[in-house]
Amino acid sequence: MAGSAGLAWRRGRQSFSPTRKRLKPLRTVVAWRGRAEWDQVMVGLYCGDSRLQQEALDRVSAWKSRYGPKMPLAVDCTAELIRCKVLDSSGRLRSHELILSYGLALVRFVNLITERKQKMVSIPLRKLAIEVDIPIWVVDLRHELTHGKLPRLALCRKGCDVVLDWLRKTYWSRQLGNNLCEESEEEDEEEEQEEMEANTELDSDPWEFKPHT
């Protein structure tokens, strides 16, 4: 009897034990309001219309003020290059000023992708360019700019177009299938998890990708 009473007491105790609540995953906060804003900015940056590009650049500036150092580098580099194209089309800058503007943006882009691919042992920039499918002449252009030799404006414009196309293919286009909206309190756990994974991919190193074969 005592054994039966003890077993019944333990079962009753288990039935009254509080249910353990599953912890929700940590949320990833992003700077954009939602997927629609992200798509609108992407289209605006690459549309070729200076007015729409400037509006997209203003949005990116707002993102950067909210996101700070966590801003995806690919977005930052794209904005810098598009800003050069907007200045170019405005006619406000002289040729050498445009060369310097394009040059700074291109040098920063090459430096960023090579810094993130460098290992413990220094790897030649040309080899890294081949690994990430960047034309060798873009690295050579960076070399000329960093050593005080100003290239032709036409070459800078071409370099800007090539790099923007690279960013579009290797970064922006990869985000099209992601859900990039911020999470709301009403979303269920499955939606939160999907969004967290999408934003994690966006926040991850934008230069880590498989080179073309």
Side-chain angles (χ1 to χ4, degrees), residues 14-22:
Q14 290 174 0
S15 64
F16 286 106
S17 62
T19 303
R20 181 176 296 177
K21 188 176 181 180
R22 188 174 62 175

Side-chain angles (χ1 to χ4, degrees), residues 7-210:
L7 180 59
W9 180 81
R10 285 195 297 271
R11 286 177 178 174
R13 186 181 180 184
Q14 290 174 0
S15 64
F16 286 106
S17 62
T19 303
R20 181 176 296 177
K21 188 176 181 180
R22 188 174 62 175
L23 295 177
K24 292 184 178 181
L26 293 177
R27 295 179 177 181
T28 301
V29 179
V30 293
W32 35 93
R33 294 190 183 93
R35 172 63 183 270
E37 185 181 42
W38 171 270
D39 288 347
Q40 187 178 10
V41 168
M42 179 183 64
V43 172
L45 290 173
Y46 281 92
C47 71
D49 184 300
S50 297
R51 182 182 62 83
L52 296 177
Q53 285 178 322
Q54 185 58 57
E55 291 178 0
L57 289 174
D58 292 340
R59 292 279 188 92
V60 172
S61 296
W63 291 355
K64 195 169 184 178
S65 66
R66 299 178 204 148
Y67 226 19
K70 294 183 179 180
M71 185 75 167
L73 294 176
V75 176
D76 213 11
C77 285
T78 303
E80 284 191 17
L81 292 163
I82 293 295
R83 191 170 289 110
C84 292
K85 294 179 74 67
V86 171
L87 287 172
D88 195 346
S89 63
S90 70
R92 297 196 302 265
L93 298 182
R94 290 174 289 182
S95 293
H96 76 278
E97 292 174 321
L98 286 172
I99 291 173
L100 291 175
S101 180
Y102 278 117
L104 287 174
L106 290 169
V107 167
R108 183 169 184 263
F109 166 78
V110 174
N111 286 346
L112 284 173
I113 62 172
T114 53
E115 284 175 5
R116 293 193 175 309
K117 298 294 289 186
Q118 289 284 6
K119 308 300 181 183
M120 295 296 292
V121 179
S122 179
I123 303 174
L125 294 185
R126 281 170 162 259
K127 183 177 180 181
L128 289 175
I130 294 173
E131 288 184 6
V132 298
D133 201 26
I134 296 288
I136 295 295
W137 64 266
V138 173
V139 175
D140 293 339
L141 184 62
R142 175 258 183 201
H143 182 78
E144 291 182 12
L145 288 161
T146 54
H147 288 79
K149 182 180 178 181
L150 296 182
R152 293 177 294 109
L153 178 57
L155 189 59
C156 289
R157 287 169 173 160
K158 183 179 179 182
C160 179
D161 290 339
V162 167
V163 170
L164 282 172
D165 187 59
W166 185 91
L167 286 165
R168 179 180 59 82
K169 291 177 179 177
T170 61
Y171 179 75
W172 292 94
S173 294
R174 293 174 58 190
Q175 309 303 326
L176 290 176
N178 290 341
N179 180 5
L180 302 172
C181 307
E182 291 188 29
E183 296 155 343
S184 64
E185 291 296 329
E186 293 78 16
E187 290 177 326
D188 58 28
E189 290 186 4
E190 290 184 1
E191 290 175 336
E192 288 179 353
Q193 182 64 31
E194 289 175 0
E195 186 162 358
M196 184 188 70
E197 292 172 355
N199 286 325
T200 299
E201 181 178 343
L202 180 63
D203 293 337
S204 63
D205 188 350
W207 314 120
E208 289 298 330
F209 66 98
K210 296 180 180 179

